[in-house]
Amino acid sequence: MNSAVSVRPGQPISGRPAGYLQLESYSSLKKFWSYLNGATSAGRRLGLLRGDTLDTCRRRISGYRIPNAGGLIDTARVLTALEDGLTPHPALLALLSGDPDGLRVTLNEGYDLSLDFVLAFTVSRDLVVRPELKYRPSEFVPPAEPLPETLPLTPRRFARDELRVLLDRACGLAP
């Protein structure tokens, strides 16, 4: 965590920005602070968003990765991207022929699902989150045959309860 980034901000944001999902209504600053403290204890990085002050109740929580998450890939988005241009890769050719297992195995072997969350507390006492999810090459075992960097490797959409569990795990509040 950046030492200049406070884990106890006190100025709620004015409303729920576009793209944010409501986790709780009638929440409290204490709950928001518990997420920030948990993230710090779990070794995650806390950061400010551009334009926010140290007292603004909005932080980016980053540094949480899930290995072996190839089964969560949104193959429909990958197929749509492949229609625009194909870079030859065995897993992508298999996907085009109707077999998504090659892509899932490739992602499991050499990629991690990187999860960043922008967590905020609003004036109307809502706890809101914006997830930023993307597959990235593994830090420990890089992919043997990397997928093209221009390919949108994004997971499927998650329900609110699933995002809450992922946020809780990222902040060390759940097993």
Side-chain angles (χ1 to χ4, degrees):
M1 177 185 124
N2 182 347
S3 60
V5 178
S6 172
V7 293
R8 290 195 155 236
Q11 180 63 44
I13 62 173
S14 61
R16 182 172 67 170
Y20 284 68
L21 181 69
Q22 180 180 357
L23 287 179
E24 285 183 12
S25 58
Y26 302 109
S27 191
S28 67
L29 270 175
K30 185 177 178 182
K31 181 75 170 189
F32 178 70
W33 292 339
S34 70
Y35 275 106
L36 299 183
N37 288 327
T40 302
S41 298
R44 309 294 174 238
R45 292 179 303 279
L46 294 182
L48 292 174
L49 271 64
R50 185 179 302 171
D52 285 353
T53 65
L54 287 175
D55 203 37
T56 304
C57 290
R58 180 169 38 190
R59 295 290 186 271
R60 172 174 277 114
I61 301 169
S62 58
Y64 183 60
R65 290 178 157 226
I66 300 175
N68 301 320
L72 300 175
I73 187 75
D74 186 348
T75 55
R77 284 189 190 175
V78 175
L79 283 169
T80 301
L82 290 176
E83 289 176 3
D84 295 336
L86 173 66
T87 303
H89 188 282
L92 300 178
L93 294 173
L95 179 64
L96 284 171
S97 68
D99 181 18
D101 290 338
L103 179 60
R104 290 179 181 140
V105 167
T106 300
L107 290 172
N108 281 340
E109 291 175 351
Y111 291 83
D112 295 335
L113 181 58
S114 174
L115 295 98
D116 292 352
F117 298 95
V118 178
L119 185 67
F121 182 72
T122 68
V123 171
S124 58
R125 297 181 48 196
D126 292 333
L127 190 63
V128 296
V129 67
R130 184 184 76 213
E132 298 170 354
L133 315 170
K134 186 174 182 172
Y135 286 94
R136 300 190 190 282
S138 176
E139 296 173 350
F140 301 109
V141 182
E145 290 185 62
L147 293 164
E149 291 182 18
T150 57
L151 190 65
L153 296 175
T154 53
R156 65 170 176 79
R157 291 189 178 266
F158 290 97
R160 178 187 1 217
D161 293 338
E162 292 172 316
L163 285 173
R164 176 184 278 291
V165 169
L166 292 172
L167 177 63
D168 287 349
R169 287 185 179 168
C171 294
L173 302 178

